[in-house]
Amino acid sequence: MNRKNSSGSGMFLMEMIVVVGFFIFCASVCILAYARSDHASRLAADRNQAVSAAQSMVEVWKLSDEEGTAEHTAYWDGDWAAVPDTEQAQFHARMKVETEAGGMSTAQVTVYRDRDDEELFSLEAKKYRRP
């Protein structure tokens, strides 16, 4: 009583499961690659803005007549518009200024992203002021 009247649908079903599994795997790899590239793109944009912000702070400092040791902090929102306090800030920068003997001043500017306190950019600048 051997039956040879099978329709072959079992093999077709197995083949379809393998094909669908392969496409699901490919789709998950593509989604993962997109998520990583999106994260890298956002980080690059934030770092680019951080460079501009640090350079602006240093240029203002170089034009000022400030002497001695000081620390300044600036805050920005998600669109890199200046905000007055930490309530709305998503990024901040700290500038430490130290004056050495002989008229040389050094400023260290570091820009951070607030959500994970990641350092985006750091810049050191010097200026000489005649005594």
Side-chain angles (χ1 to χ4, degrees):
M1 300 238 195
N2 203 356
R3 285 183 69 162
K4 294 210 174 208
N5 196 8
S6 68
S7 64
S9 62
M11 275 307 269
F12 177 74
L13 183 59
M14 288 299 288
E15 186 178 331
M16 286 305 292
I17 289 173
V18 169
V19 169
V20 169
F22 177 73
F23 282 118
I24 289 173
F25 174 74
C26 290
S28 65
V29 168
C30 290
I31 289 171
L32 183 61
Y34 174 76
R36 284 185 181 171
S37 67
D38 183 57
H39 175 71
S41 175
R42 290 176 193 265
L43 183 60
D46 288 345
R47 286 201 171 137
N48 188 33
Q49 289 291 339
V51 169
S52 295
Q55 288 174 339
S56 296
M57 288 181 75
V58 166
E59 292 299 323
V60 169
W61 169 72
K62 282 187 173 184
L63 293 174
S64 73
D65 290 333
E66 180 180 316
E67 289 186 39
T69 302
E71 188 168 326
H72 303 285
T73 305
Y75 302 99
W76 297 276
D77 64 7
D79 296 326
W80 288 91
V83 292
D85 58 5
T86 61
E87 295 286 324
Q88 307 146 2
Q90 292 187 14
F91 304 95
H92 72 278
R94 289 188 198 114
M95 181 168 73
K96 296 177 184 176
V97 178
E98 295 179 2
T99 302
E100 302 167 5
M104 183 64 76
S105 295
T106 304
Q108 178 71 36
V109 180
T110 308
V111 182
Y112 298 93
R113 182 173 48 202
D114 287 344
R115 91 178 136 194
D116 54 3
D117 206 33
E118 180 179 352
E119 181 180 312
L120 295 175
F121 184 71
S122 183
L123 175 67
E124 183 177 307
K126 296 185 179 209
K127 74 175 180 178
Y128 177 74
R129 183 178 169 155
R130 292 184 192 161

Short mmCIF file of all heavy atoms in Angstrom, two decimals, residues 65-129:
data_model
loop_
_atom_site.label_atom_id
_atom_site.label_comp_id
_atom_site.label_asym_id
_atom_site.label_seq_id
_atom_site.Cartn_x
_atom_site.Cartn_y
_atom_site.Cartn_z
N ASP A 65 39.18 92.15 24.90
CA ASP A 65 40.34 92.59 25.66
C ASP A 65 40.42 91.86 26.99
O ASP A 65 41.04 92.34 27.93
CB ASP A 65 40.26 94.10 25.91
CG ASP A 65 40.48 94.89 24.64
OD1 ASP A 65 41.16 94.37 23.73
OD2 ASP A 65 39.97 96.02 24.53
N GLU A 66 39.81 90.71 27.08
CA GLU A 66 39.74 89.98 28.33
C GLU A 66 41.12 89.47 28.74
O GLU A 66 41.88 88.96 27.94
CB GLU A 66 38.79 88.79 28.16
CG GLU A 66 38.63 87.95 29.39
CD GLU A 66 37.69 86.80 29.14
OE1 GLU A 66 36.64 87.02 28.53
OE2 GLU A 66 38.02 85.70 29.57
N GLU A 67 41.41 89.61 30.02
CA GLU A 67 42.66 89.11 30.58
C GLU A 67 42.36 88.25 31.79
O GLU A 67 41.27 88.30 32.35
CB GLU A 67 43.55 90.27 31.01
CG GLU A 67 44.12 91.06 29.86
CD GLU A 67 45.11 92.10 30.34
OE1 GLU A 67 45.88 91.80 31.27
OE2 GLU A 67 45.11 93.19 29.79
N GLY A 68 43.33 87.46 32.22
CA GLY A 68 43.16 86.65 33.41
C GLY A 68 42.58 85.29 33.08
O GLY A 68 42.51 84.87 31.95
N THR A 69 42.17 84.60 34.13
CA THR A 69 41.60 83.27 34.00
C THR A 69 40.08 83.38 34.05
O THR A 69 39.53 84.02 34.94
CB THR A 69 42.10 82.35 35.13
OG1 THR A 69 43.52 82.32 35.06
CG2 THR A 69 41.55 80.96 34.99
N ALA A 70 39.41 82.76 33.10
CA ALA A 70 37.95 82.82 33.06
C ALA A 70 37.41 81.54 32.44
O ALA A 70 38.14 80.79 31.78
CB ALA A 70 37.49 84.02 32.24
N GLU A 71 36.13 81.30 32.67
CA GLU A 71 35.45 80.17 32.04
C GLU A 71 34.10 80.65 31.52
O GLU A 71 33.36 81.30 32.24
CB GLU A 71 35.25 79.03 33.04
CG GLU A 71 34.72 77.78 32.38
CD GLU A 71 34.80 76.56 33.28
OE1 GLU A 71 35.75 76.46 34.07
OE2 GLU A 71 33.89 75.73 33.16
N HIS A 72 33.81 80.33 30.27
CA HIS A 72 32.55 80.73 29.63
C HIS A 72 31.83 79.48 29.15
O HIS A 72 32.45 78.50 28.74
CB HIS A 72 32.82 81.64 28.43
CG HIS A 72 33.60 82.87 28.76
ND1 HIS A 72 33.06 83.94 29.41
CD2 HIS A 72 34.90 83.17 28.56
CE1 HIS A 72 33.98 84.86 29.57
NE2 HIS A 72 35.12 84.42 29.07
N THR A 73 30.49 79.54 29.15
CA THR A 73 29.68 78.44 28.66
C THR A 73 28.63 79.00 27.71
O THR A 73 28.03 80.04 27.97
CB THR A 73 28.98 77.70 29.82
OG1 THR A 73 29.97 77.30 30.75
CG2 THR A 73 28.25 76.48 29.32
N ALA A 74 28.42 78.30 26.60
CA ALA A 74 27.39 78.68 25.63
C ALA A 74 26.48 77.47 25.41
O ALA A 74 26.92 76.32 25.52
CB ALA A 74 28.02 79.10 24.31
N TYR A 75 25.21 77.74 25.09
CA TYR A 75 24.21 76.67 24.92
C TYR A 75 23.51 76.83 23.58
O TYR A 75 23.24 77.95 23.14
CB TYR A 75 23.17 76.73 26.04
CG TYR A 75 23.76 76.61 27.41
CD1 TYR A 75 23.98 77.74 28.19
CD2 TYR A 75 24.10 75.37 27.94
CE1 TYR A 75 24.53 77.63 29.46
CE2 TYR A 75 24.64 75.26 29.20
CZ TYR A 75 24.86 76.39 29.95
OH TYR A 75 25.40 76.28 31.20
N TRP A 76 23.18 75.68 22.95
CA TRP A 76 22.44 75.68 21.69
C TRP A 76 21.34 74.63 21.74
O TRP A 76 21.46 73.62 22.42
CB TRP A 76 23.37 75.34 20.52
CG TRP A 76 24.45 76.33 20.32
CD1 TRP A 76 24.39 77.51 19.63
CD2 TRP A 76 25.80 76.24 20.81
NE1 TRP A 76 25.59 78.15 19.67
CE2 TRP A 76 26.47 77.40 20.39
CE3 TRP A 76 26.49 75.31 21.57
CZ2 TRP A 76 27.81 77.64 20.69
CZ3 TRP A 76 27.81 75.54 21.88
CH2 TRP A 76 28.46 76.69 21.44
N ASP A 77 20.28 74.88 20.95
CA ASP A 77 19.20 73.89 20.86
C ASP A 77 19.52 72.90 19.74
O ASP A 77 20.63 72.90 19.21
CB ASP A 77 17.85 74.58 20.65
CG ASP A 77 17.76 75.35 19.33
OD1 ASP A 77 18.69 75.26 18.50
OD2 ASP A 77 16.74 76.04 19.13
N GLY A 78 18.57 72.08 19.37
CA GLY A 78 18.79 71.04 18.37
C GLY A 78 19.09 71.56 16.98
O GLY A 78 19.69 70.87 16.17
N ASP A 79 18.69 72.80 16.70
CA ASP A 79 18.97 73.42 15.40
C ASP A 79 20.18 74.33 15.45
O ASP A 79 20.40 75.14 14.56
CB ASP A 79 17.75 74.22 14.93
CG ASP A 79 16.55 73.34 14.67
OD1 ASP A 79 16.75 72.19 14.23
OD2 ASP A 79 15.42 73.79 14.92
N TRP A 80 20.94 74.27 16.53
CA TRP A 80 22.14 75.06 16.77
C TRP A 80 21.84 76.55 16.84
O TRP A 80 22.65 77.38 16.43
CB TRP A 80 23.22 74.75 15.74
CG TRP A 80 23.82 73.42 15.95
CD1 TRP A 80 23.41 72.25 15.41
CD2 TRP A 80 24.91 73.09 16.82
NE1 TRP A 80 24.20 71.22 15.88
CE2 TRP A 80 25.12 71.71 16.74
CE3 TRP A 80 25.73 73.85 17.66
CZ2 TRP A 80 26.11 71.06 17.46
CZ3 TRP A 80 26.72 73.19 18.37
CH2 TRP A 80 26.90 71.82 18.26
N ALA A 81 20.66 76.89 17.34
CA ALA A 81 20.35 78.29 17.64
C ALA A 81 20.68 78.53 19.10
O ALA A 81 20.41 77.68 19.96
CB ALA A 81 18.87 78.58 17.37
N ALA A 82 21.29 79.66 19.40
CA ALA A 82 21.70 79.97 20.77
C ALA A 82 20.49 80.07 21.69
O ALA A 82 19.47 80.65 21.33
CB ALA A 82 22.49 81.27 20.80
N VAL A 83 20.61 79.47 22.86
CA VAL A 83 19.58 79.56 23.90
C VAL A 83 20.25 80.05 25.18
O VAL A 83 21.44 79.83 25.39
CB VAL A 83 18.87 78.20 24.13
CG1 VAL A 83 18.04 77.82 22.92
CG2 VAL A 83 19.83 77.11 24.48
N PRO A 84 19.49 80.71 26.06
CA PRO A 84 20.12 81.34 27.23
C PRO A 84 20.48 80.39 28.37
O PRO A 84 21.34 80.72 29.18
CB PRO A 84 19.06 82.35 27.69
CG PRO A 84 17.77 81.81 27.19
CD PRO A 84 18.09 81.09 25.92
N ASP A 85 19.82 79.24 28.46
CA ASP A 85 20.08 78.39 29.62
C ASP A 85 20.06 76.91 29.24
O ASP A 85 19.86 76.56 28.09
CB ASP A 85 19.04 78.66 30.72
CG ASP A 85 17.62 78.44 30.23
OD1 ASP A 85 17.44 77.99 29.09
OD2 ASP A 85 16.69 78.72 31.00
N THR A 86 20.23 76.07 30.24
CA THR A 86 20.32 74.63 29.99
C THR A 86 18.97 73.96 29.78
O THR A 86 18.93 72.81 29.39
CB THR A 86 21.03 73.94 31.16
OG1 THR A 86 20.27 74.16 32.36
CG2 THR A 86 22.44 74.46 31.35
N GLU A 87 17.88 74.66 30.06
CA GLU A 87 16.54 74.07 29.93
C GLU A 87 16.26 73.57 28.52
O GLU A 87 15.76 72.47 28.32
CB GLU A 87 15.47 75.09 30.33
CG GLU A 87 15.51 75.50 31.79
CD GLU A 87 14.98 74.42 32.70
OE1 GLU A 87 14.03 73.72 32.30
OE2 GLU A 87 15.52 74.28 33.80
N GLN A 88 16.57 74.39 27.51
CA GLN A 88 16.27 74.05 26.13
C GLN A 88 17.49 73.54 25.38
O GLN A 88 17.40 73.16 24.22
CB GLN A 88 15.73 75.28 25.40
CG GLN A 88 14.58 75.94 26.10
CD GLN A 88 14.60 77.45 25.92
OE1 GLN A 88 15.44 77.99 25.24
NE2 GLN A 88 13.65 78.13 26.53
N ALA A 89 18.64 73.53 26.03
CA ALA A 89 19.89 73.21 25.35
C ALA A 89 20.02 71.72 25.04
O ALA A 89 19.65 70.88 25.84
CB ALA A 89 21.06 73.67 26.19
N GLN A 90 20.54 71.45 23.86
CA GLN A 90 20.90 70.09 23.48
C GLN A 90 22.40 69.96 23.26
O GLN A 90 22.94 68.86 23.19
CB GLN A 90 20.15 69.68 22.22
CG GLN A 90 18.67 69.54 22.45
CD GLN A 90 17.95 68.98 21.24
OE1 GLN A 90 18.58 68.46 20.31
NE2 GLN A 90 16.64 69.08 21.23
N PHE A 91 23.07 71.11 23.13
CA PHE A 91 24.52 71.15 22.98
C PHE A 91 25.05 72.28 23.86
O PHE A 91 24.36 73.26 24.09
CB PHE A 91 24.92 71.44 21.52
CG PHE A 91 24.35 70.46 20.54
CD1 PHE A 91 23.16 70.73 19.87
CD2 PHE A 91 24.99 69.27 20.28
CE1 PHE A 91 22.63 69.84 18.96
CE2 PHE A 91 24.46 68.36 19.38
CZ PHE A 91 23.29 68.64 18.71
N HIS A 92 26.27 72.12 24.35
CA HIS A 92 26.89 73.21 25.10
C HIS A 92 28.40 73.18 24.86
O HIS A 92 28.97 72.18 24.46
CB HIS A 92 26.57 73.14 26.59
CG HIS A 92 27.26 72.03 27.32
ND1 HIS A 92 26.80 70.74 27.32
CD2 HIS A 92 28.39 72.02 28.06
CE1 HIS A 92 27.59 69.97 28.04
NE2 HIS A 92 28.59 70.73 28.50
N ALA A 93 29.01 74.35 25.09
CA ALA A 93 30.45 74.48 24.93
C ALA A 93 31.01 75.16 26.17
O ALA A 93 30.40 76.06 26.74
CB ALA A 93 30.78 75.30 23.69
N ARG A 94 32.19 74.71 26.56
CA ARG A 94 32.90 75.34 27.67
C ARG A 94 34.21 75.90 27.12
O ARG A 94 34.95 75.20 26.43
CB ARG A 94 33.21 74.32 28.75
CG ARG A 94 32.01 73.85 29.51
CD ARG A 94 32.43 73.00 30.70
NE ARG A 94 31.28 72.24 31.15
CZ ARG A 94 31.18 70.92 31.09
NH1 ARG A 94 32.17 70.21 30.62
NH2 ARG A 94 30.09 70.32 31.51
N MET A 95 34.47 77.14 27.47
CA MET A 95 35.72 77.78 27.07
C MET A 95 36.47 78.18 28.33
O MET A 95 35.96 78.95 29.14
CB MET A 95 35.49 79.00 26.18
CG MET A 95 36.79 79.65 25.75
SD MET A 95 36.62 80.86 24.44
CE MET A 95 35.88 82.20 25.33
N LYS A 96 37.68 77.65 28.49
CA LYS A 96 38.53 78.00 29.62
C LYS A 96 39.67 78.86 29.09
O LYS A 96 40.38 78.46 28.17
CB LYS A 96 39.08 76.75 30.29
CG LYS A 96 38.01 75.89 30.91
CD LYS A 96 38.59 74.63 31.51
CE LYS A 96 37.47 73.75 32.04
NZ LYS A 96 37.97 72.48 32.54
N VAL A 97 39.83 80.03 29.70
CA VAL A 97 40.87 80.97 29.28
C VAL A 97 41.87 81.11 30.40
O VAL A 97 41.50 81.31 31.56
CB VAL A 97 40.26 82.35 28.94
CG1 VAL A 97 41.34 83.33 28.55
CG2 VAL A 97 39.21 82.22 27.85
N GLU A 98 43.14 81.00 30.06
CA GLU A 98 44.22 81.19 31.02
C GLU A 98 45.24 82.14 30.44
O GLU A 98 45.63 81.99 29.28
CB GLU A 98 44.88 79.85 31.38
CG GLU A 98 43.96 78.89 32.08
CD GLU A 98 44.62 77.57 32.41
OE1 GLU A 98 45.83 77.43 32.11
OE2 GLU A 98 43.95 76.71 32.96
N THR A 99 45.67 83.10 31.24
CA THR A 99 46.70 84.04 30.81
C THR A 99 48.01 83.67 31.48
O THR A 99 48.07 83.51 32.70
CB THR A 99 46.29 85.48 31.18
OG1 THR A 99 45.04 85.77 30.55
CG2 THR A 99 47.34 86.46 30.71
N GLU A 100 49.02 83.54 30.67
CA GLU A 100 50.34 83.20 31.17
C GLU A 100 51.18 84.47 31.29
O GLU A 100 50.81 85.52 30.76
CB GLU A 100 51.01 82.20 30.21
CG GLU A 100 50.21 80.93 30.01
CD GLU A 100 50.71 80.11 28.84
OE1 GLU A 100 51.74 80.49 28.24
OE2 GLU A 100 50.06 79.11 28.52
N ALA A 101 52.31 84.35 31.94
CA ALA A 101 53.21 85.49 32.06
C ALA A 101 53.74 85.85 30.67
O ALA A 101 53.98 84.98 29.84
CB ALA A 101 54.37 85.15 32.99
N GLY A 102 53.92 87.12 30.43
CA GLY A 102 54.45 87.55 29.14
C GLY A 102 53.38 87.93 28.14
O GLY A 102 53.69 88.25 27.00
N GLY A 103 52.12 87.88 28.53
CA GLY A 103 51.05 88.34 27.65
C GLY A 103 50.42 87.26 26.78
O GLY A 103 49.55 87.56 25.97
N MET A 104 50.84 86.01 26.91
CA MET A 104 50.25 84.93 26.11
C MET A 104 49.02 84.40 26.82
O MET A 104 49.06 84.07 28.00
CB MET A 104 51.26 83.80 25.91
CG MET A 104 50.77 82.69 25.02
SD MET A 104 50.44 83.17 23.33
CE MET A 104 52.08 83.28 22.68
N SER A 105 47.91 84.30 26.09
CA SER A 105 46.67 83.74 26.62
C SER A 105 46.29 82.51 25.81
O SER A 105 46.48 82.47 24.59
CB SER A 105 45.53 84.75 26.55
OG SER A 105 45.78 85.86 27.37
N THR A 106 45.75 81.52 26.49
CA THR A 106 45.33 80.28 25.85
C THR A 106 43.87 80.01 26.17
O THR A 106 43.46 80.13 27.32
CB THR A 106 46.18 79.09 26.35
OG1 THR A 106 47.55 79.37 26.13
CG2 THR A 106 45.80 77.81 25.64
N ALA A 107 43.11 79.66 25.15
CA ALA A 107 41.70 79.30 25.33
C ALA A 107 41.50 77.86 24.86
O ALA A 107 41.98 77.48 23.79
CB ALA A 107 40.80 80.24 24.55
N GLN A 108 40.81 77.09 25.65
CA GLN A 108 40.46 75.71 25.30
C GLN A 108 38.94 75.63 25.21
O GLN A 108 38.25 75.81 26.21
CB GLN A 108 40.98 74.74 26.36
CG GLN A 108 40.63 73.30 26.13
CD GLN A 108 41.39 72.70 24.96
OE1 GLN A 108 42.55 73.00 24.74
NE2 GLN A 108 40.73 71.85 24.21
N VAL A 109 38.42 75.38 24.01
CA VAL A 109 36.97 75.29 23.79
C VAL A 109 36.62 73.84 23.50
O VAL A 109 37.22 73.21 22.63
CB VAL A 109 36.53 76.17 22.61
CG1 VAL A 109 35.02 76.06 22.39
CG2 VAL A 109 36.93 77.62 22.82
N THR A 110 35.65 73.32 24.24
CA THR A 110 35.17 71.96 24.03
C THR A 110 33.66 71.99 23.88
O THR A 110 32.97 72.58 24.72
CB THR A 110 35.57 71.05 25.21
OG1 THR A 110 36.97 71.18 25.43
CG2 THR A 110 35.26 69.60 24.91
N VAL A 111 33.16 71.36 22.82
CA VAL A 111 31.72 71.35 22.54
C VAL A 111 31.20 69.93 22.82
O VAL A 111 31.79 68.94 22.38
CB VAL A 111 31.43 71.75 21.08
CG1 VAL A 111 29.93 71.76 20.81
CG2 VAL A 111 32.04 73.09 20.76
N TYR A 112 30.08 69.86 23.55
CA TYR A 112 29.49 68.58 23.98
C TYR A 112 28.05 68.46 23.48
O TYR A 112 27.35 69.46 23.33
CB TYR A 112 29.45 68.48 25.50
CG TYR A 112 30.79 68.51 26.17
CD1 TYR A 112 31.32 69.71 26.62
CD2 TYR A 112 31.52 67.35 26.36
CE1 TYR A 112 32.55 69.75 27.25
CE2 TYR A 112 32.75 67.38 26.99
CZ TYR A 112 33.25 68.59 27.42
OH TYR A 112 34.48 68.63 28.04
N ARG A 113 27.62 67.22 23.27
CA ARG A 113 26.20 66.93 23.03
C ARG A 113 25.63 66.51 24.38
O ARG A 113 26.15 65.61 25.04
CB ARG A 113 26.06 65.80 22.01
CG ARG A 113 24.61 65.49 21.68
CD ARG A 113 24.45 64.52 20.55
NE ARG A 113 25.31 63.36 20.71
CZ ARG A 113 25.69 62.58 19.71
NH1 ARG A 113 25.31 62.83 18.49
NH2 ARG A 113 26.46 61.53 19.93
N ASP A 114 24.55 67.14 24.81
CA ASP A 114 24.03 66.96 26.16
C ASP A 114 23.39 65.60 26.42
O ASP A 114 23.47 65.08 27.52
CB ASP A 114 23.01 68.06 26.50
CG ASP A 114 23.69 69.40 26.73
OD1 ASP A 114 24.92 69.41 26.94
OD2 ASP A 114 23.00 70.42 26.73
N ARG A 115 22.75 65.01 25.43
CA ARG A 115 21.97 63.78 25.71
C ARG A 115 22.86 62.64 26.18
O ARG A 115 22.45 61.83 26.98
CB ARG A 115 21.13 63.40 24.51
CG ARG A 115 21.80 62.47 23.56
CD ARG A 115 20.95 62.08 22.42
NE ARG A 115 21.84 62.18 21.27
CZ ARG A 115 21.48 62.17 20.05
NH1 ARG A 115 20.22 62.11 19.74
NH2 ARG A 115 22.34 62.25 19.09
N ASP A 116 24.09 62.56 25.67
CA ASP A 116 25.00 61.50 26.11
C ASP A 116 26.34 62.05 26.58
O ASP A 116 27.26 61.30 26.85
CB ASP A 116 25.21 60.46 25.01
CG ASP A 116 25.68 61.09 23.71
OD1 ASP A 116 25.88 62.31 23.65
OD2 ASP A 116 25.84 60.35 22.71
N ASP A 117 26.44 63.38 26.69
CA ASP A 117 27.63 64.08 27.16
C ASP A 117 28.86 63.68 26.34
O ASP A 117 29.96 63.57 26.86
CB ASP A 117 27.86 63.85 28.66
CG ASP A 117 28.63 65.00 29.28
OD1 ASP A 117 28.45 66.14 28.83
OD2 ASP A 117 29.42 64.75 30.20
N GLU A 118 28.64 63.48 25.04
CA GLU A 118 29.74 63.12 24.15
C GLU A 118 30.47 64.38 23.69
O GLU A 118 29.84 65.38 23.32
CB GLU A 118 29.22 62.37 22.92
CG GLU A 118 30.34 61.98 21.97
CD GLU A 118 29.84 61.21 20.76
OE1 GLU A 118 28.66 60.85 20.72
OE2 GLU A 118 30.66 60.98 19.86
N GLU A 119 31.78 64.34 23.72
CA GLU A 119 32.59 65.45 23.23
C GLU A 119 32.58 65.42 21.71
O GLU A 119 33.03 64.45 21.10
CB GLU A 119 34.01 65.34 23.76
CG GLU A 119 34.91 66.46 23.31
CD GLU A 119 36.32 66.32 23.84
OE1 GLU A 119 36.48 66.07 25.04
OE2 GLU A 119 37.25 66.46 23.02
N LEU A 120 32.08 66.49 21.10
CA LEU A 120 32.00 66.55 19.65
C LEU A 120 33.25 67.15 19.03
O LEU A 120 33.71 66.71 17.97
CB LEU A 120 30.78 67.36 19.21
CG LEU A 120 29.42 66.78 19.56
CD1 LEU A 120 28.31 67.74 19.19
CD2 LEU A 120 29.22 65.44 18.89
N PHE A 121 33.81 68.18 19.69
CA PHE A 121 34.97 68.86 19.12
C PHE A 121 35.69 69.62 20.22
O PHE A 121 35.07 70.13 21.15
CB PHE A 121 34.52 69.83 18.02
CG PHE A 121 35.65 70.52 17.31
CD1 PHE A 121 36.47 69.82 16.45
CD2 PHE A 121 35.89 71.86 17.52
CE1 PHE A 121 37.51 70.45 15.80
CE2 PHE A 121 36.93 72.50 16.87
CZ PHE A 121 37.74 71.79 16.00
N SER A 122 37.00 69.71 20.08
CA SER A 122 37.81 70.47 21.01
C SER A 122 38.80 71.31 20.21
O SER A 122 39.37 70.85 19.23
CB SER A 122 38.55 69.52 21.95
OG SER A 122 39.28 70.26 22.89
N LEU A 123 38.99 72.56 20.65
CA LEU A 123 39.84 73.49 19.94
C LEU A 123 40.68 74.28 20.95
O LEU A 123 40.15 74.75 21.96
CB LEU A 123 38.99 74.45 19.10
CG LEU A 123 39.69 75.58 18.37
CD1 LEU A 123 40.59 75.02 17.27
CD2 LEU A 123 38.67 76.54 17.78
N GLU A 124 41.96 74.40 20.67
CA GLU A 124 42.83 75.22 21.51
C GLU A 124 43.35 76.37 20.67
O GLU A 124 43.78 76.18 19.53
CB GLU A 124 44.01 74.40 22.03
CG GLU A 124 44.90 75.19 22.96
CD GLU A 124 46.01 74.36 23.54
OE1 GLU A 124 45.72 73.29 24.10
OE2 GLU A 124 47.18 74.78 23.44
N ALA A 125 43.29 77.58 21.24
CA ALA A 125 43.74 78.76 20.52
C ALA A 125 44.57 79.62 21.46
O ALA A 125 44.39 79.60 22.67
CB ALA A 125 42.55 79.56 20.00
N LYS A 126 45.49 80.37 20.88
CA LYS A 126 46.35 81.26 21.66
C LYS A 126 46.32 82.64 21.05
O LYS A 126 46.14 82.79 19.83
CB LYS A 126 47.78 80.73 21.69
CG LYS A 126 47.92 79.42 22.39
CD LYS A 126 49.36 79.00 22.50
CE LYS A 126 49.40 77.67 23.24
NZ LYS A 126 50.61 77.48 23.97
N LYS A 127 46.51 83.63 21.91
CA LYS A 127 46.68 84.99 21.42
C LYS A 127 47.72 85.69 22.29
O LYS A 127 47.88 85.38 23.48
CB LYS A 127 45.37 85.76 21.41
CG LYS A 127 44.84 86.21 22.74
CD LYS A 127 43.60 87.07 22.55
CE LYS A 127 43.06 87.52 23.91
NZ LYS A 127 41.90 88.37 23.76
N TYR A 128 48.40 86.59 21.66
CA TYR A 128 49.43 87.33 22.37
C TYR A 128 48.97 88.77 22.50
O TYR A 128 48.50 89.38 21.54
CB TYR A 128 50.76 87.27 21.60
CG TYR A 128 51.85 88.07 22.23
CD1 TYR A 128 52.47 87.64 23.39
CD2 TYR A 128 52.24 89.29 21.67
CE1 TYR A 128 53.46 88.37 23.98
CE2 TYR A 128 53.24 90.03 22.26
CZ TYR A 128 53.85 89.58 23.41
OH TYR A 128 54.85 90.32 24.00
N ARG A 129 49.13 89.26 23.68
CA ARG A 129 48.76 90.66 23.93
C ARG A 129 49.99 91.36 24.50
O ARG A 129 50.57 90.91 25.47
CB ARG A 129 47.61 90.75 24.91
CG ARG A 129 47.17 92.14 25.11
CD ARG A 129 46.01 92.19 26.03
NE ARG A 129 45.83 93.59 26.37
CZ ARG A 129 44.72 94.10 26.75
NH1 ARG A 129 43.69 93.34 26.89
NH2 ARG A 129 44.65 95.37 27.03
#
